[in-house]
Amino acid sequence: MKIRKAKTFGVWSAGVIPLAAVLALPVNAQAREGLFLGVGAGWSGSDVQLDSGPVLDIDGVAADGLAGIAFAGYGWRGRQGFFAVEANMGARNADADINFAGGKISVESSTSYGLGVLLGGALEGATPYLRLGWQVSNYEVSAFQSDDQDHDGFRYGLGALLPLQEGLDMRLEWTQTRYG
């Protein structure tokens, strides 16, 4: 099973340019300092390519489903931005079935974990950030036999911290992982 590889130019243009713009803003960062913990829920979508030689070559299988995540990290504030290191562990029920004349192939992704950094600054009422990191996800393919493998790749994304009350924030985030 192959998972699509990242295009380096797209990753850097999606990450470095917004980061430079956010950190150049002349404002004080409002992100939390010190240790932080959190949980989240969202949607997991995977575009999977199955390649098993000349017999099987399927492109564009969408393994989608609900996802939950727990994370812990440590953050530092500066005059023009913030920096945080974060570890995460996720669970999801992303799956897809492919029916064909000889049977059925199932693709399922259930667990994921990773390490990353958050870089950002503050705007009016929100703290936008850029996420960069490394993620490992487990994929299981069941057809004539079962194949369970971990795939790792570069994770990037954009998000915003929205303060709810003292000591409590809400995150809105979009991320993508490019597995090699």
Side-chain angles (χ1 to χ4, degrees), residues 78-155:
R79 184 179 181 292
Q80 301 230 356
F82 80 94
F83 173 80
V85 177
E86 180 181 291
N88 68 72
M89 182 66 157
R92 55 188 177 209
N93 68 348
D95 59 3
D97 291 327
I98 305 157
N99 296 309
F100 60 98
K104 178 173 94 168
I105 298 174
S106 297
V107 178
E108 181 180 328
S109 179
S110 57
T111 59
S112 179
Y113 59 92
L115 185 63
V117 296
L118 307 177
L119 306 160
L123 291 177
E124 197 69 32
T127 304
Y129 61 87
L130 170 69
R131 170 184 292 284
L132 301 171
W134 199 255
Q135 198 74 17
V136 178
S137 295
N138 180 270
Y139 284 86
E140 182 176 354
V141 178
S142 301
F144 309 108
Q145 61 185 11
S146 184
D147 185 15
D148 191 353
Q149 296 180 7
D150 286 341
H151 295 272
D152 59 333
F154 181 64
R155 182 179 181 198

Side-chain angles (χ1 to χ4, degrees), residues 18-27 79-81 120-121:
L19 172 63
V22 167
L23 292 179
L25 296 172
V27 296
R79 184 179 181 292
Q80 301 230 356

